[in-house]
Amino acid sequence: MKIAIAAATGNIGSRVASAVAAGGATPVLLGRDAAKLTALGIDRAIISITDVSDVHQVAAATRECDALLWLVPPVSHVGSLADWYRRVTQAGVAAVSRNGIKRVLLVSSLGAGAGENLGTISFISDTERAFNALTTNVLTLRPGYFMENFLLQTQSLLEQGAFHFTYDPDHDIPFISTDDIGDAAARYLLDPTWAGHWTLNLMGPENITLREVAVRLSNALSHPIRYERLALETVKDQLRQGGLTETVQQELLDLFVALGDPNGAYATPRTPEAHTPTRFEDFARTKLAPLLADAVW
């Protein structure tokens, strides 16, 4: 069995690549950086230097594949995120159609389908519709907020003893480890028995407020950590200083507003099937604390 994996060097893609190889399948690793793909060290992997927004490259890379993991890699330095999602979606859909790929595992987002002007949540909704228009079998995973996004805040944790978002401190969020998303994706990619079009929410073990996250990080890191809420205008200034276009700035602000809406994406009811095992404390201890091990507080 050959399984193509988009964005194979990312947190989810690399986890899936290792798991499907361990399960006896041949992973086809799609990505732009040959050195990073090789550095994964995946047994029996086929490395394919591929721009996932290029229809012809993706079709060539996924030829004779039985299954496909498809997700839109995160980018910021593009003219428009909406256009980026559209191009990546078109490339994936075309590859499935041309190559007759039997099963697709699509990584989407909790809240997809909720409405317009929700930033990337709206864009991934369009991706879902495009894949579900195919006759092939499609399983869509809709995960919550990645715990691994805290790895991007190591500098502020070190220098300020704080982490930052735009959300109310009492807004409860379904944090999930990307390891758990990858494990779920690999399990279904290796299983040839499922069929049809269906959707599975993945929401971690519990919803946690950012006020509670600060307490748990303080315990895990043995140092007081606080949460500081950022104003949207402050974030927009940061995005502008980072060189993002006005369009991308607004698309990201729309996303932050959507994710912070107490009646929005993260108000999704929990079901037993949405549970994944990794606790926030597990993530903080195994992934975040080692990065801060030499900190002089």
Side-chain angles (χ1 to χ4, degrees), residues 141-159:
L141 300 182
R142 290 181 174 177
Y145 200 95
F146 298 171
M147 295 178 188
E148 281 71 11
N149 286 340
F150 278 88
L151 301 178
L152 302 175
Q153 302 221 27
T154 53
Q155 184 175 354
S156 63
L157 287 168
L158 281 169
E159 296 178 356

Side-chain angles (χ1 to χ4, degrees), residues 172 199 210 217:
D172 60 333
T199 300
L210 294 169
L217 284 178

Side-chain angles (χ1 to χ4, degrees), residues 256-270:
F256 299 151
V257 170
L259 294 182
D261 181 355
N263 299 310
Y266 291 159
T268 302
R270 282 184 169 271

Side-chain angles (χ1 to χ4, degrees), residues 118-162:
L118 305 178
T120 57
I121 293 178
S122 297
F123 309 152
I124 199 66
S125 301
D126 294 337
T127 301
E128 285 192 17
R129 284 189 284 272
F131 274 92
N132 283 324
L134 299 169
T135 57
T136 196
N137 303 304
V138 180
L139 168 56
T140 299
L141 300 182
R142 290 181 174 177
Y145 200 95
F146 298 171
M147 295 178 188
E148 281 71 11
N149 286 340
F150 278 88
L151 301 178
L152 302 175
Q153 302 221 27
T154 53
Q155 184 175 354
S156 63
L157 287 168
L158 281 169
E159 296 178 356
Q160 304 171 35

Side-chain angles (χ1 to χ4, degrees), residues 38-113:
T38 301
L40 293 175
I42 307 297
D43 289 342
R44 303 185 311 280
I46 298 172
I47 292 175
S48 176
I49 310 306
T50 306
D51 176 353
V52 295
S53 68
D54 186 292
V55 170
H56 302 293
Q57 290 186 31
V58 175
T62 58
R63 193 173 295 121
E64 298 182 351
C65 286
D66 303 285
L68 170 67
L69 171 73
W70 199 248
L71 67 163
V72 181
V75 298
S76 56
H77 291 283
V78 292
S80 160
L81 293 177
D83 181 62
W84 170 247
Y85 271 70
R86 179 186 58 78
R87 290 189 289 119
V88 174
T89 297
Q90 289 177 344
V93 167
V96 172
S97 298
R98 294 182 189 182
N99 295 328
I101 297 174
K102 299 179 180 66
R103 287 173 292 117
V104 175
L105 196 296
L106 175 65
V107 179
S108 180
S109 171
L110 203 64

Side-chain angles (χ1 to χ4, degrees), residues 1-295:
M1 182 189 302
K2 289 174 66 175
I3 298 176
I5 301 168
T9 60
N11 288 327
I12 296 174
S14 59
R15 182 81 172 191
V16 172
S18 296
V20 299
T26 299
V28 180
L29 310 181
L30 279 56
R32 293 186 176 187
D33 192 320
K36 289 183 178 179
L37 292 169
T38 301
L40 293 175
I42 307 297
D43 289 342
R44 303 185 311 280
I46 298 172
I47 292 175
S48 176
I49 310 306
T50 306
D51 176 353
V52 295
S53 68
D54 186 292
V55 170
H56 302 293
Q57 290 186 31
V58 175
T62 58
R63 193 173 295 121
E64 298 182 351
C65 286
D66 303 285
L68 170 67
L69 171 73
W70 199 248
L71 67 163
V72 181
V75 298
S76 56
H77 291 283
V78 292
S80 160
L81 293 177
D83 181 62
W84 170 247
Y85 271 70
R86 179 186 58 78
R87 290 189 289 119
V88 174
T89 297
Q90 289 177 344
V93 167
V96 172
S97 298
R98 294 182 189 182
N99 295 328
I101 297 174
K102 299 179 180 66
R103 287 173 292 117
V104 175
L105 196 296
L106 175 65
V107 179
S108 180
S109 171
L110 203 64
E116 301 300 319
N117 301 317
L118 305 178
T120 57
I121 293 178
S122 297
F123 309 152
I124 199 66
S125 301
D126 294 337
T127 301
E128 285 192 17
R129 284 189 284 272
F131 274 92
N132 283 324
L134 299 169
T135 57
T136 196
N137 303 304
V138 180
L139 168 56
T140 299
L141 300 182
R142 290 181 174 177
Y145 200 95
F146 298 171
M147 295 178 188
E148 281 71 11
N149 286 340
F150 278 88
L151 301 178
L152 302 175
Q153 302 221 27
T154 53
Q155 184 175 354
S156 63
L157 287 168
L158 281 169
E159 296 178 356
Q160 304 171 35
F163 63 98
H164 307 86
F165 293 104
T166 62
Y167 317 128
D168 186 282
D170 293 315
H171 179 43
D172 60 333
I173 296 174
F175 287 106
I176 181 171
S177 170
T178 55
D179 289 351
D180 290 349
I181 302 169
D183 291 345
R187 183 167 66 253
Y188 287 107
L189 287 165
L190 288 166
D191 179 3
T193 63
W194 60 270
H197 291 178
W198 48 299
T199 300
L200 176 62
N201 292 337
L202 297 177
M203 300 176 65
E206 60 181 328
N207 283 34
I208 312 173
T209 68
L210 294 169
R211 195 185 303 278
E212 177 61 22
V213 165
V215 173
R216 298 190 190 193
L217 284 178
S218 297
N219 292 334
L221 302 177
S222 300
H223 183 81
I225 299 297
R226 66 187 185 279
Y227 170 56
E228 294 182 351
R229 185 178 184 181
L230 296 179
L232 287 172
E233 279 304 313
T234 299
V235 173
K236 185 169 184 178
D237 286 341
Q238 293 174 346
L239 298 176
R240 184 186 304 112
Q241 292 169 16
L244 277 61
T245 67
E246 286 283 346
T247 298
V248 172
Q249 291 172 37
Q250 188 58 55
E251 289 168 333
L252 289 176
L253 291 177
D254 288 344
L255 173 65
F256 299 151
V257 170
L259 294 182
D261 181 355
N263 299 310
Y266 291 159
T268 302
R270 282 184 169 271
T271 63
E273 295 79 11
H275 178 91
T276 55
T278 301
R279 302 176 304 159
F280 191 85
E281 293 88 338
D282 301 330
F283 157 77
R285 184 180 64 256
T286 61
K287 291 193 176 182
L288 190 56
L291 297 179
L292 304 173
D294 298 327

